Short mmCIF file of all heavy atoms in Angstrom, two decimals:
data_model
loop_
_atom_site.label_atom_id
_atom_site.label_comp_id
_atom_site.label_asym_id
_atom_site.label_seq_id
_atom_site.Cartn_x
_atom_site.Cartn_y
_atom_site.Cartn_z
N ILE A 192 7.07 7.09 17.31
CA ILE A 192 7.49 5.68 17.39
C ILE A 192 6.24 4.84 17.67
O ILE A 192 5.61 4.98 18.71
CB ILE A 192 8.54 5.50 18.51
CG1 ILE A 192 9.75 6.41 18.26
CG2 ILE A 192 8.97 4.04 18.61
CD1 ILE A 192 10.78 6.42 19.36
N THR A 193 5.86 4.01 16.71
CA THR A 193 4.52 3.42 16.73
C THR A 193 4.54 1.90 16.93
O THR A 193 5.53 1.24 16.64
CB THR A 193 3.76 3.77 15.43
OG1 THR A 193 4.40 3.10 14.34
CG2 THR A 193 3.77 5.26 15.16
N PRO A 194 3.41 1.35 17.40
CA PRO A 194 3.31 -0.11 17.61
C PRO A 194 2.70 -0.82 16.40
O PRO A 194 2.18 -0.18 15.50
CB PRO A 194 2.34 -0.19 18.79
CG PRO A 194 1.38 0.93 18.53
CD PRO A 194 2.17 2.02 17.84
N TRP A 195 2.73 -2.14 16.42
CA TRP A 195 2.24 -2.92 15.27
C TRP A 195 0.78 -3.32 15.43
O TRP A 195 0.16 -3.80 14.49
CB TRP A 195 3.09 -4.19 15.08
CG TRP A 195 3.23 -4.97 16.36
CD1 TRP A 195 4.26 -4.88 17.25
CD2 TRP A 195 2.29 -5.89 16.93
NE1 TRP A 195 4.02 -5.67 18.34
CE2 TRP A 195 2.82 -6.32 18.16
CE3 TRP A 195 1.05 -6.40 16.52
CZ2 TRP A 195 2.15 -7.22 19.00
CZ3 TRP A 195 0.39 -7.30 17.35
CH2 TRP A 195 0.94 -7.70 18.57
N ASN A 196 0.21 -3.15 16.62
CA ASN A 196 -1.10 -3.80 16.83
C ASN A 196 -2.28 -3.01 16.24
O ASN A 196 -3.30 -3.59 15.94
CB ASN A 196 -1.32 -4.14 18.30
CG ASN A 196 -1.48 -2.92 19.17
OD1 ASN A 196 -0.93 -1.87 18.89
ND2 ASN A 196 -2.24 -3.05 20.23
N PHE A 197 -2.11 -1.69 16.11
CA PHE A 197 -3.07 -0.92 15.30
C PHE A 197 -2.21 -0.24 14.24
O PHE A 197 -1.94 0.96 14.30
CB PHE A 197 -3.86 0.08 16.15
CG PHE A 197 -4.94 -0.62 16.94
CD1 PHE A 197 -4.66 -1.14 18.20
CD2 PHE A 197 -6.20 -0.81 16.41
CE1 PHE A 197 -5.63 -1.83 18.91
CE2 PHE A 197 -7.18 -1.50 17.11
CZ PHE A 197 -6.89 -2.01 18.37
N ILE A 201 -3.35 3.66 14.86
CA ILE A 201 -2.48 4.35 15.83
C ILE A 201 -1.32 5.03 15.10
O ILE A 201 -0.97 6.17 15.40
CB ILE A 201 -2.00 3.39 16.94
CG1 ILE A 201 -3.19 2.96 17.80
CG2 ILE A 201 -0.91 4.04 17.79
CD1 ILE A 201 -2.85 2.11 19.02
N LYS A 219 9.10 6.32 12.86
CA LYS A 219 9.67 4.97 12.91
C LYS A 219 8.54 3.99 13.27
O LYS A 219 8.14 3.87 14.43
CB LYS A 219 10.78 4.86 13.96
CG LYS A 219 11.62 3.60 13.74
CD LYS A 219 12.17 2.99 15.00
CE LYS A 219 11.24 2.06 15.69
NZ LYS A 219 10.76 0.90 14.96
N PRO A 220 8.03 3.32 12.25
CA PRO A 220 6.92 2.39 12.53
C PRO A 220 7.44 1.12 13.19
O PRO A 220 8.64 0.85 13.19
CB PRO A 220 6.37 2.09 11.14
CG PRO A 220 7.54 2.23 10.23
CD PRO A 220 8.43 3.30 10.82
N ALA A 221 6.51 0.33 13.74
CA ALA A 221 6.88 -0.95 14.34
C ALA A 221 7.48 -1.86 13.26
O ALA A 221 7.15 -1.75 12.08
CB ALA A 221 5.66 -1.60 14.95
N ILE A 222 8.32 -2.76 13.71
CA ILE A 222 9.08 -3.61 12.79
C ILE A 222 8.17 -4.46 11.89
O ILE A 222 8.40 -4.54 10.68
CB ILE A 222 10.00 -4.58 13.59
CG1 ILE A 222 10.94 -3.80 14.50
CG2 ILE A 222 10.77 -5.52 12.66
CD1 ILE A 222 12.07 -3.12 13.82
N GLY A 250 13.15 1.06 11.12
CA GLY A 250 14.42 0.49 11.58
C GLY A 250 14.26 -0.15 12.94
O GLY A 250 13.17 -0.18 13.52
N ASP A 251 15.39 -0.61 13.43
CA ASP A 251 15.43 -1.31 14.70
C ASP A 251 15.09 -0.35 15.85
O ASP A 251 15.60 0.77 15.89
CB ASP A 251 16.87 -1.84 14.85
CG ASP A 251 17.04 -2.62 16.12
OD1 ASP A 251 16.25 -3.54 16.35
OD2 ASP A 251 17.96 -2.28 16.90
N GLY A 252 14.23 -0.81 16.77
CA GLY A 252 13.81 0.04 17.88
C GLY A 252 14.97 0.56 18.72
O GLY A 252 15.19 1.77 18.81
N PRO A 253 15.72 -0.36 19.34
CA PRO A 253 16.82 0.11 20.19
C PRO A 253 17.84 0.97 19.44
O PRO A 253 18.46 1.85 20.03
CB PRO A 253 17.46 -1.20 20.68
CG PRO A 253 16.34 -2.20 20.63
CD PRO A 253 15.50 -1.80 19.45
N GLU A 254 18.00 0.75 18.12
CA GLU A 254 18.99 1.55 17.40
C GLU A 254 18.40 2.91 16.95
O GLU A 254 18.73 3.97 17.50
CB GLU A 254 19.52 0.78 16.18
CG GLU A 254 20.71 1.47 15.53
CD GLU A 254 21.05 0.93 14.16
OE1 GLU A 254 20.56 -0.15 13.79
OE2 GLU A 254 21.82 1.61 13.45
N ILE A 255 17.46 2.84 16.03
CA ILE A 255 16.92 4.08 15.45
C ILE A 255 16.01 4.81 16.44
O ILE A 255 16.05 6.04 16.58
CB ILE A 255 16.14 3.77 14.16
CG1 ILE A 255 17.10 3.20 13.14
CG2 ILE A 255 15.44 4.99 13.60
CD1 ILE A 255 18.28 4.09 12.90
N GLY A 256 15.19 4.01 17.13
CA GLY A 256 14.26 4.62 18.10
C GLY A 256 15.02 5.40 19.15
O GLY A 256 14.72 6.58 19.42
N GLU A 257 16.01 4.77 19.72
CA GLU A 257 16.78 5.46 20.78
C GLU A 257 17.53 6.67 20.24
O GLU A 257 17.63 7.70 20.90
CB GLU A 257 17.76 4.48 21.43
CG GLU A 257 17.14 3.84 22.65
CD GLU A 257 18.12 2.98 23.43
OE1 GLU A 257 19.24 3.45 23.72
OE2 GLU A 257 17.74 1.86 23.76
N VAL A 260 15.14 9.45 20.07
CA VAL A 260 14.77 9.93 21.41
C VAL A 260 15.89 10.79 22.01
O VAL A 260 15.65 11.83 22.62
CB VAL A 260 14.46 8.73 22.34
CG1 VAL A 260 14.32 9.17 23.79
CG2 VAL A 260 13.19 8.01 21.87
N PHE A 270 5.15 8.22 21.62
CA PHE A 270 5.41 6.78 21.63
C PHE A 270 4.16 6.01 22.03
O PHE A 270 3.46 6.41 22.97
CB PHE A 270 6.53 6.48 22.64
CG PHE A 270 6.68 5.02 22.97
CD1 PHE A 270 7.38 4.17 22.12
CD2 PHE A 270 6.11 4.49 24.12
CE1 PHE A 270 7.49 2.81 22.41
CE2 PHE A 270 6.23 3.12 24.43
CZ PHE A 270 6.92 2.29 23.56
N THR A 271 3.89 4.92 21.36
CA THR A 271 2.91 3.94 21.85
C THR A 271 3.57 2.58 21.73
O THR A 271 4.11 2.21 20.68
CB THR A 271 1.61 3.96 21.02
OG1 THR A 271 1.07 5.27 21.07
CG2 THR A 271 0.58 3.00 21.59
N GLY A 272 3.53 1.83 22.83
CA GLY A 272 4.16 0.51 22.83
C GLY A 272 4.19 -0.06 24.23
O GLY A 272 3.35 0.30 25.08
N SER A 273 5.17 -0.88 24.49
CA SER A 273 5.21 -1.61 25.76
C SER A 273 5.68 -0.74 26.91
O SER A 273 6.33 0.29 26.72
CB SER A 273 6.14 -2.82 25.62
OG SER A 273 7.44 -2.36 25.34
N LYS A 274 5.40 -1.20 28.12
CA LYS A 274 5.80 -0.47 29.32
C LYS A 274 7.33 -0.37 29.39
O LYS A 274 7.87 0.70 29.68
CB LYS A 274 5.27 -1.20 30.56
CG LYS A 274 5.53 -0.48 31.85
CD LYS A 274 5.38 -1.40 33.05
CE LYS A 274 6.60 -2.28 33.19
NZ LYS A 274 6.64 -3.05 34.42
N VAL A 276 9.67 -0.40 27.09
CA VAL A 276 10.27 0.56 26.15
C VAL A 276 9.84 1.98 26.52
O VAL A 276 10.65 2.92 26.51
CB VAL A 276 9.91 0.21 24.69
CG1 VAL A 276 10.40 1.29 23.74
CG2 VAL A 276 10.50 -1.14 24.30
N GLY A 277 8.58 2.14 26.90
CA GLY A 277 8.09 3.47 27.30
C GLY A 277 8.88 4.05 28.46
O GLY A 277 9.21 5.24 28.48
N THR A 279 12.00 3.34 29.29
CA THR A 279 13.34 3.71 28.82
C THR A 279 13.29 5.05 28.10
O THR A 279 14.13 5.93 28.31
CB THR A 279 13.86 2.64 27.81
OG1 THR A 279 13.73 1.38 28.42
CG2 THR A 279 15.28 2.88 27.39
N ILE A 280 12.27 5.21 27.25
CA ILE A 280 12.15 6.45 26.49
C ILE A 280 11.95 7.64 27.44
O ILE A 280 12.58 8.69 27.28
CB ILE A 280 10.99 6.33 25.47
CG1 ILE A 280 11.41 5.40 24.33
CG2 ILE A 280 10.56 7.70 24.95
CD1 ILE A 280 10.34 5.15 23.29
N GLU A 300 2.09 6.12 25.50
CA GLU A 300 0.93 5.25 25.79
C GLU A 300 1.44 3.82 25.82
O GLU A 300 2.02 3.34 24.85
CB GLU A 300 -0.16 5.46 24.74
CG GLU A 300 -0.80 6.84 24.84
CD GLU A 300 -1.32 7.16 26.24
OE1 GLU A 300 -1.95 6.29 26.86
OE2 GLU A 300 -1.05 8.28 26.74
N MET A 301 1.23 3.16 26.94
CA MET A 301 1.90 1.88 27.16
C MET A 301 0.92 0.73 27.43
O MET A 301 -0.24 0.81 27.05
CB MET A 301 2.89 2.06 28.30
CG MET A 301 4.06 2.95 27.91
SD MET A 301 4.62 4.15 29.14
CE MET A 301 5.14 3.13 30.48
N GLY A 302 1.39 -0.30 28.09
CA GLY A 302 0.64 -1.55 28.21
C GLY A 302 -0.55 -1.52 29.14
O GLY A 302 -0.89 -0.49 29.74
N GLY A 303 -1.19 -2.67 29.27
CA GLY A 303 -2.35 -2.79 30.15
C GLY A 303 -2.47 -4.19 30.73
O GLY A 303 -1.84 -5.14 30.24
N LYS A 333 -4.42 -6.34 22.01
CA LYS A 333 -4.84 -4.94 22.14
C LYS A 333 -4.42 -4.51 23.53
O LYS A 333 -4.56 -5.28 24.49
CB LYS A 333 -6.36 -4.81 22.02
CG LYS A 333 -6.92 -5.27 20.69
CD LYS A 333 -8.42 -5.08 20.63
CE LYS A 333 -8.99 -5.73 19.39
NZ LYS A 333 -10.44 -5.63 19.29
N CYS A 334 -3.96 -3.26 23.64
CA CYS A 334 -3.60 -2.77 24.97
C CYS A 334 -4.83 -2.78 25.87
O CYS A 334 -4.74 -2.91 27.08
CB CYS A 334 -3.02 -1.37 24.86
SG CYS A 334 -4.08 -0.28 23.93
N SER A 335 -6.00 -2.67 25.24
CA SER A 335 -7.27 -2.61 25.99
C SER A 335 -7.87 -3.99 26.27
O SER A 335 -8.89 -4.09 26.94
CB SER A 335 -8.27 -1.78 25.19
OG SER A 335 -8.39 -2.33 23.89
N LYS A 380 8.59 -13.95 18.23
CA LYS A 380 8.88 -13.47 19.59
C LYS A 380 7.60 -13.47 20.43
O LYS A 380 7.58 -13.95 21.57
CB LYS A 380 9.45 -12.04 19.48
CG LYS A 380 10.28 -11.62 20.66
CD LYS A 380 11.04 -10.34 20.35
CE LYS A 380 10.80 -9.33 21.43
NZ LYS A 380 10.57 -7.98 21.02
N GLU A 430 1.66 -8.22 31.64
CA GLU A 430 1.01 -8.14 30.33
C GLU A 430 1.53 -9.26 29.43
O GLU A 430 2.73 -9.39 29.23
CB GLU A 430 1.26 -6.78 29.67
CG GLU A 430 0.42 -6.62 28.42
CD GLU A 430 0.68 -5.32 27.64
OE1 GLU A 430 1.85 -5.03 27.38
OE2 GLU A 430 -0.30 -4.64 27.28
N PHE A 432 -0.12 -10.04 26.30
CA PHE A 432 -0.39 -9.53 24.95
C PHE A 432 -0.66 -10.66 23.96
O PHE A 432 -0.07 -10.75 22.90
CB PHE A 432 0.75 -8.64 24.46
CG PHE A 432 0.24 -7.44 23.72
CD1 PHE A 432 -0.62 -6.56 24.34
CD2 PHE A 432 0.59 -7.21 22.40
CE1 PHE A 432 -1.13 -5.47 23.66
CE2 PHE A 432 0.09 -6.11 21.71
CZ PHE A 432 -0.78 -5.25 22.34
N LEU A 458 -5.21 0.94 32.40
CA LEU A 458 -5.63 1.39 31.07
C LEU A 458 -7.16 1.31 30.89
O LEU A 458 -7.85 2.32 30.90
CB LEU A 458 -4.89 0.59 30.01
CG LEU A 458 -5.01 1.07 28.56
CD1 LEU A 458 -4.77 2.55 28.43
CD2 LEU A 458 -4.03 0.32 27.67
N PHE A 498 -8.91 8.19 24.54
CA PHE A 498 -8.28 6.95 25.03
C PHE A 498 -6.88 7.17 25.59
O PHE A 498 -6.03 7.79 24.96
CB PHE A 498 -8.20 5.96 23.86
CG PHE A 498 -7.76 4.59 24.29
CD1 PHE A 498 -8.65 3.70 24.86
CD2 PHE A 498 -6.43 4.21 24.15
CE1 PHE A 498 -8.25 2.45 25.28
CE2 PHE A 498 -6.02 2.96 24.57
CZ PHE A 498 -6.92 2.08 25.13
N GLY A 499 -6.63 6.62 26.79
CA GLY A 499 -5.29 6.65 27.36
C GLY A 499 -5.34 6.24 28.82
O GLY A 499 -6.36 6.41 29.49
N GLY A 500 -4.21 5.71 29.31
CA GLY A 500 -4.25 5.06 30.62
C GLY A 500 -3.50 5.77 31.74
O GLY A 500 -2.75 6.72 31.51
N SER A 504 0.45 2.57 32.55
CA SER A 504 -0.14 2.47 31.21
C SER A 504 0.15 3.72 30.39
O SER A 504 -0.23 3.77 29.21
CB SER A 504 -1.65 2.24 31.30
OG SER A 504 -1.92 0.95 31.78
P1 NAD B 624 7.20 -2.20 21.69
O1 NAD B 624 7.40 -1.40 22.92
O2 NAD B 624 7.97 -3.46 21.56
O3 NAD B 624 7.53 -1.33 20.40
C1 NAD B 624 6.89 -0.09 20.13
C2 NAD B 624 7.79 0.72 19.24
O4 NAD B 624 8.98 1.08 19.96
C3 NAD B 624 8.27 -0.01 18.00
O5 NAD B 624 8.29 0.88 16.91
C4 NAD B 624 9.66 -0.44 18.39
O6 NAD B 624 10.49 -0.70 17.29
C5 NAD B 624 10.12 0.75 19.20
N1 NAD B 624 11.23 0.49 20.13
C6 NAD B 624 11.64 -0.70 20.65
N2 NAD B 624 12.68 -0.52 21.48
C7 NAD B 624 12.93 0.82 21.51
C8 NAD B 624 13.86 1.64 22.20
N3 NAD B 624 14.75 1.12 23.04
N4 NAD B 624 13.83 2.97 21.99
C9 NAD B 624 12.91 3.52 21.16
N5 NAD B 624 12.00 2.80 20.48
C10 NAD B 624 12.01 1.47 20.64
O7 NAD B 624 5.62 -2.45 21.58
P2 NAD B 624 4.83 -3.27 20.48
O8 NAD B 624 5.13 -4.73 20.67
O9 NAD B 624 5.04 -2.68 19.13
O10 NAD B 624 3.31 -2.97 20.88
C11 NAD B 624 2.63 -3.67 21.85
C12 NAD B 624 2.61 -2.88 23.14
O11 NAD B 624 2.00 -1.61 22.92
C13 NAD B 624 1.77 -3.53 24.24
O12 NAD B 624 2.44 -3.39 25.46
C14 NAD B 624 0.49 -2.71 24.22
O13 NAD B 624 -0.22 -2.73 25.43
C15 NAD B 624 1.00 -1.36 23.89
N6 NAD B 624 -0.04 -0.51 23.30
C16 NAD B 624 -0.52 0.51 24.04
C17 NAD B 624 -1.52 1.33 23.54
C18 NAD B 624 -2.09 2.46 24.34
O14 NAD B 624 -2.78 3.30 23.78
N7 NAD B 624 -1.85 2.53 25.64
C19 NAD B 624 -2.02 1.09 22.25
C20 NAD B 624 -1.48 0.04 21.52
C21 NAD B 624 -0.48 -0.75 22.04
#
Side-chain angles (χ1 to χ4, degrees):
I192 303 174
T193 68
W195 51 265
N196 68 330
F197 284 88
I201 293 185
K219 196 212 85 59
I222 302 285
D251 181 53
E254 189 194 346
I255 296 306
E257 267 187 48
V260 170
F270 167 81
T271 302
S273 62
K274 185 197 78 171
V276 174
T279 308
I280 287 178
E300 292 307 316
M301 291 139 62
K333 298 182 189 178
C334 52
S335 55
K380 203 168 129 223
E430 188 184 50
F432 221 58
L458 190 48
F498 188 81
S504 290

